[in-house]
Amino acid sequence: MKEWWRDRGAIALLGCGLLFRGLIAAFLPAGFDEAYYTAYVRHPALSYFDHPLLVGWTVAMGAWWPDFPTPFSIRLGTLLLYTGTLIFLFLTADRLFGRNAARWTLAIASVIPFFLVGFGVLVLPDSPLMFFWSACLWVCAQEFFGAETYRPTRRVVAIGALVGLACLGKYHGFLLGAGLVLFCGLSAPHRRVFQSPWLIGAAVMFAVVLAPLLIWNHQHEWVSFRFQGARAVPDSGYRIGDLLLTFLVGNAYLFPTFGFPLWWATGRQTWQWRVQADGPQILWIACLSVPIFLGFTAMGGYRQILPSWPMPGFFTATLILGRQAAVAADSHPQRVRRWWGISTGVVAVLLTVALLHVRFGLVQPLWPPASDPSTQMLDVGQIRQAFRQEPLAQALRDSDFVFSNNFFVAGQMVMALHPLTNQPITCFDTDLRGFAYWSRAQDFVGKRGCTSPPPCLKTSIAGRSPIWVEMANRLCLRNCWRPWAPKPCQRCRSTSACLRKSKRSAKLGCSGAGTVVQTVKVYRATGLQRPYPRPYGR
């Protein structure tokens, strides 16, 4: 078998993909969730409220970069991990269906927009999840296929460890393990694994690798499992219209010329797996993909799902689409190459236009800033620069902690102020996420604080990626922000937490390109009278 690193086509795809993703990573401002995950680096732990620990390790892979954290530096780990993910996917397809199918699988997975950006650029728990998911696919392909008669080997132990590592990336890793159990139960030759002593070793390795997640949750009343489990519970009746919308939106993220063929090829091959020469391979892929993307798509009929939830299933299904593309290319090579080439060109153009708009406001005249979701991606570099200058630098030195009323905004402040201060940064809200475990509620009583930004106050939307900094009057802090009055807050009807005193400072503003589309307000105040009530945490 030809070594994969000598395959010029594969190397070209990997290199060009890494270069394109690197350019996006360098020019795209940090998303609010990416900024929040940088707080994981500041607060190392065995696990976290909303995700396991590996997303924090992914961010930390760029800690050696100058001026860390910057958007590019926090994404270095993602860039490298997805390159490894694609390599393992290529090797898996090569093992199952041959080199030609492996090239087509790699070509498709390198271009699908959500895979390219969601798995390959942005800092998300999906990056480490898919790296170990893909590595597990490769080991499974060697373990389950190739010999005429299957006999379990020591690779089963490695599979248990890789499933555990996938779970430390994201809770979807448990679905990977469930899919493997389903396959071994449906495939008669592979049921031998249930009688093998290697399965005990796999279970032990899985438990050992998963120990950090289990220990942290045991110490915190299993809050992560309760939080994630509650998201799958129906919160309303079933709506066919929402199901159809979820299906169409999912195909848009995949890009229609890839999304619809993925559904068609996977469904058709799964239905016919018994009459296929490589039927066991098709069944294995189907067990790891169809329940995931079909289940989460069906979930969209009773609740809104995140686009990333069904994507591990679609990613695994690219093995089938790559196989189908290789078969079709034998009969109609020009037609298949044209399909992939045109799709790749359109995806590249759309992503480039989107990047130029987010960075430089390319289509801003046609898209009112108030309805443009890209304005949520604050330029944390501008915030950092503002806090390096007076009067904000002095306000930061005079404060004991920094806080916001939104955990995403608090995360952006963590990323912006990371090189400037070691002061605690927290969140006062009903949804605190990890901030509920990185400090105690009483830690801030009687101390001076800076806060930014309060969206319930008057917010100016007049420029692109700006910083408007001003000090305000006393604030009531409970679910909302309002000027303090002798009577309780009109919105939350509570006086349980308030700032005793505030100071007014200078106001400044700066814009990145064209007009201003976001405003960041910073307030300085002293004397938190009572601990802010937390719905969970410490």
Side-chain angles (χ1 to χ4, degrees):
M1 180 183 293
K2 182 180 177 182
E3 294 86 349
W4 72 267
W5 58 85
R6 294 183 180 178
D7 190 309
R8 295 182 180 179
I11 293 300
L13 285 169
L14 291 170
C16 292
L18 179 60
L19 177 61
F20 185 65
R21 290 184 287 110
L23 292 174
I24 297 176
F27 288 97
L28 185 70
F32 46 77
D33 47 354
E34 294 182 285
Y36 166 68
Y37 294 136
T38 61
Y40 284 20
V41 179
R42 186 165 179 163
H43 303 280
L46 293 177
S47 189
Y48 299 93
F49 172 81
D50 37 4
H51 293 294
L53 59 86
L54 286 186
V55 66
W57 287 23
T58 303
V59 177
M61 290 173 68
W64 56 272
W65 192 263
D67 295 330
F68 176 86
T70 61
F72 182 75
S73 66
I74 66 173
R75 293 167 177 157
L76 274 173
T78 299
L79 294 173
L80 297 176
L81 286 177
Y82 192 60
T83 300
T85 299
L86 292 175
I87 292 173
F88 284 126
L89 184 69
F90 176 84
L91 294 174
T92 303
D94 190 21
R95 175 78 175 186
L96 297 177
F97 306 123
R99 182 55 56 92
N100 195 29
R103 293 193 189 100
W104 279 111
T105 302
L106 176 61
I108 294 168
S110 299
V111 175
I112 289 179
F114 188 91
F115 298 171
L116 191 153
V117 178
F119 294 162
V121 174
L122 301 179
V123 176
L124 296 172
D126 304 81
S127 297
L129 165 73
M130 296 315 301
F131 176 80
F132 291 109
W133 186 297
S134 190
C136 185
L137 294 181
W138 177 54
V139 176
C140 286
Q142 297 177 82
E143 168 65 18
F144 295 140
F145 309 107
E148 293 185 5
T149 303
Y150 172 65
R151 289 183 175 84
T153 70
R154 68 183 68 181
R155 293 193 189 97
V156 175
V157 179
I159 292 171
L162 289 170
V163 172
L165 288 168
C167 293
L168 291 186
K170 193 175 181 179
Y171 290 98
H172 277 59
F174 290 102
L175 300 178
L176 173 62
L180 292 174
V181 172
L182 176 63
F183 166 72
C184 293
L186 294 177
S187 177
H190 297 91
R191 290 174 192 154
R192 293 189 181 97
V193 75
F194 295 125
Q195 302 173 352
S196 170
W198 293 116
L199 184 62
I200 299 176
V204 171
M205 285 301 300
F206 175 75
V208 170
V209 172
L210 204 64
L213 178 66
L214 299 177
I215 292 172
W216 189 91
N217 273 275
H218 175 70
Q219 295 172 342
H220 297 89
E221 301 177 338
W222 305 99
V223 65
S224 295
F225 291 98
R226 291 190 285 110
F227 170 72
Q228 297 293 350
R231 305 175 83 177
V233 177
D235 55 3
S236 63
Y238 205 84
R239 300 175 295 274
I240 300 300
D242 288 350
L243 172 63
L244 178 61
L245 179 62
T246 300
F247 172 76
L248 295 176
V249 170
N251 281 282
Y253 278 106
L254 293 167
F255 198 68
T257 56
F258 295 121
F260 291 113
L262 269 172
W263 279 92
W264 174 81
T266 306
R268 184 171 181 269
Q269 293 302 310
T270 301
W271 183 260
Q272 301 175 348
W273 76 269
R274 292 184 181 275
V275 298
Q276 301 275 353
D278 47 10
Q281 292 93 315
I282 298 297
L283 176 63
W284 174 68
I285 297 170
C287 289
L288 297 177
S289 61
V290 174
I292 296 175
F293 67 72
L294 191 61
F296 280 116
T297 301
M299 187 185 296
Y302 64 80
R303 68 163 302 135
Q304 185 177 5
I305 68 169
L306 295 179
S308 62
W309 290 0
M311 290 302 167
F314 287 119
F315 182 85
T316 307
T318 56
L319 291 165
I320 292 180
L321 185 57
R323 171 186 177 274
Q324 288 297 101
V327 172
D330 290 338
S331 304
H332 308 282
Q334 294 298 327
R335 185 180 302 177
V336 176
R337 289 171 184 163
R338 190 180 303 116
W339 160 73
W340 182 83
I342 293 175
S343 299
T344 300
V346 174
V347 168
V349 170
L350 292 177
L351 290 179
T352 301
V353 171
L355 177 63
L356 293 175
H357 170 64
V358 173
R359 183 67 180 179
F360 303 110
L362 181 65
V363 297
Q364 194 175 85
L366 304 177
W367 198 344
S371 60
D372 183 359
S374 69
T375 60
Q376 298 176 3
M377 305 181 76
L378 292 180
D379 186 347
V380 296
Q382 293 190 42
I383 300 176
R384 183 180 304 154
Q385 184 60 32
F387 273 92
R388 283 192 173 118
Q389 301 173 1
E390 302 298 343
L392 288 182
Q394 185 62 45
L396 188 61
R397 289 191 295 269
D398 292 342
S399 299
D400 296 313
F401 68 101
V402 179
F403 65 97
S404 176
N405 71 324
N406 179 282
F407 75 92
F408 279 142
V409 176
Q412 289 169 325
M413 297 306 296
V414 169
M415 186 173 176
L417 302 180
H418 182 86
L420 304 181
T421 180
N422 291 322
Q423 295 170 350
I425 299 176
T426 191
C427 174
F428 291 164
D429 192 16
T430 56
D431 186 5
L432 283 74
R433 301 296 172 100
F435 290 100
Y437 299 92
W438 299 330
S439 62
R440 297 182 182 274
Q442 61 269 25
D443 291 348
F444 308 107
V445 175
K447 295 185 177 180
R448 300 165 294 183
C450 281
T451 174
S452 168
C456 289
L457 290 176
K458 181 180 179 181
T459 302
S460 170
I461 300 183
R464 181 158 201 84
S465 298
I467 300 170
W468 288 102
V469 182
E470 62 183 7
M471 301 305 172
N473 294 326
R474 300 169 186 172
L475 302 175
C476 170
L477 305 177
R478 183 179 172 85
N479 304 339
C480 65
W481 306 68
R482 296 176 63 87
W484 176 254
K487 58 184 180 180
C489 171
Q490 296 299 312
R491 182 172 299 183
C492 65
R493 296 290 180 182
S494 172
T495 59
S496 61
C498 64
L499 293 177
R500 175 167 51 87
K501 185 180 179 182
S502 65
K503 293 183 179 180
R504 183 174 182 83
S505 184
K507 182 172 69 173
L508 61 92
C510 62
S511 60
T515 58
V516 180
V517 294
Q518 272 288 12
T519 296
V520 175
K521 296 177 184 287
V522 177
Y523 299 85
R524 186 176 61 176
T526 60
L528 186 65
Q529 294 184 2
R530 303 181 182 92
Y532 186 84
R534 294 183 173 183
Y536 50 83
R538 301 190 294 173

